[in-house]
Amino acid sequence: QMKSLVDDLFEYTKVRQTDAPLQIQSLELNAMLEQIGASFELEANKKGMEINTILPDSPVKIEADPEKLARVFNNLITNALKYGSDGKNIYLQLTKIDEKEIEIRISNDGEPIPEKSLRQVFDRFYRVDKARTRQKGGFGLGLSLAQQIVLALKGTIVVKDNQPKGTIFEVKITGV
């Protein structure tokens, strides 16, 4: 756990440095999301959950740092598996809004994040349910790191509850 904390803190600090270069390259987002979804299938099945990937028919290409973007999606899916485990589904949905903007939604149908916590989930070290989080691991850095990466990519990330069940994280990236 200590190594994980140090790695997360190092990555968080690196992303926050404005002079830290991103490794921007062209990537095909459909394939990336399919691959990431497939990598979590076994873990999801063990918890009685299913990963559902919803993609446009035509490929969506963007310019981004693939390693950092994958880290964002991994953090969001990991959280959905940990804290939405009373649900049955995790959805990865890609939408091309227009020629310059895409949206990726990562949502689940488990217990939603309480409304009073929605504004704080991206704060460093913030954990919605401190007792439960300690049992499941985590230091409250994953969502903060995801936010910093998305901001470095000139995008936005927001969280919404999906009453009566579930949580939705929306990542928008422009300039694709």
Side-chain angles (χ1 to χ4, degrees):
Q1 281 187 332
M2 185 60 77
K3 182 183 179 333
S4 177
L5 174 61
V6 170
D7 289 347
D8 284 352
L9 280 170
F10 179 72
E11 183 70 24
Y12 179 82
T13 303
K14 200 165 67 169
V15 170
R16 287 197 47 112
Q17 292 176 346
T18 56
D19 61 344
L22 295 170
Q23 303 302 315
I24 302 296
Q25 54 188 285
S26 182
L27 64 101
E28 205 269 288
L29 208 47
N30 301 49
M32 178 185 230
L33 288 172
E34 275 184 348
Q35 183 179 4
I36 289 172
S39 73
F40 280 97
E41 279 182 13
L42 183 60
E43 185 178 350
N45 289 337
K46 285 181 183 177
K47 295 180 178 227
M49 299 177 82
E50 187 176 333
I51 305 282
N52 303 279
T53 307
I54 305 160
L55 304 170
D57 293 332
S58 57
V60 176
K61 294 186 178 188
I62 66 168
E63 298 290 320
D65 184 321
E67 185 180 318
K68 300 253 188 290
L69 197 56
R71 179 77 185 253
V72 169
F73 301 144
N74 285 330
N75 286 357
L76 294 173
I77 295 167
T78 297
N79 274 6
L81 286 167
K82 282 182 186 178
Y83 307 115
S85 60
D86 58 325
K88 298 294 178 205
N89 295 286
I90 295 173
Y91 300 95
L92 312 178
Q93 182 174 3
L94 171 61
T95 305
K96 188 169 184 175
I97 296 173
D98 58 36
E99 292 305 311
K100 294 191 181 243
E101 186 174 34
I102 55 112
E103 177 183 84
I104 303 102
R105 282 181 159 213
I106 298 180
S107 59
N108 68 72
D109 59 4
E111 191 65 32
I113 295 172
E115 190 173 335
K116 65 180 179 157
S117 296
L118 288 175
R119 289 191 181 127
Q120 295 176 283
V121 295
F122 295 111
D123 293 350
R124 237 176 346 164
F125 303 115
Y126 182 77
R127 298 184 300 183
V128 173
D129 182 345
K130 289 153 183 57
R132 191 172 91 176
T133 303
R134 245 182 243 114
Q135 292 171 343
K136 295 188 181 214
F139 298 97
L141 285 173
L143 294 179
S144 183
L145 179 57
Q147 181 186 48
Q148 291 305 313
I149 291 170
V150 171
L151 291 174
L153 292 170
K154 309 292 187 241
T156 61
I157 183 171
V158 296
V159 61
K160 303 173 181 178
D161 66 5
N162 190 22
Q163 295 293 340
K165 290 293 237 175
T167 301
I168 301 169
F169 284 88
E170 290 179 353
V171 176
K172 289 185 180 179
I173 300 176
T174 56
V176 291

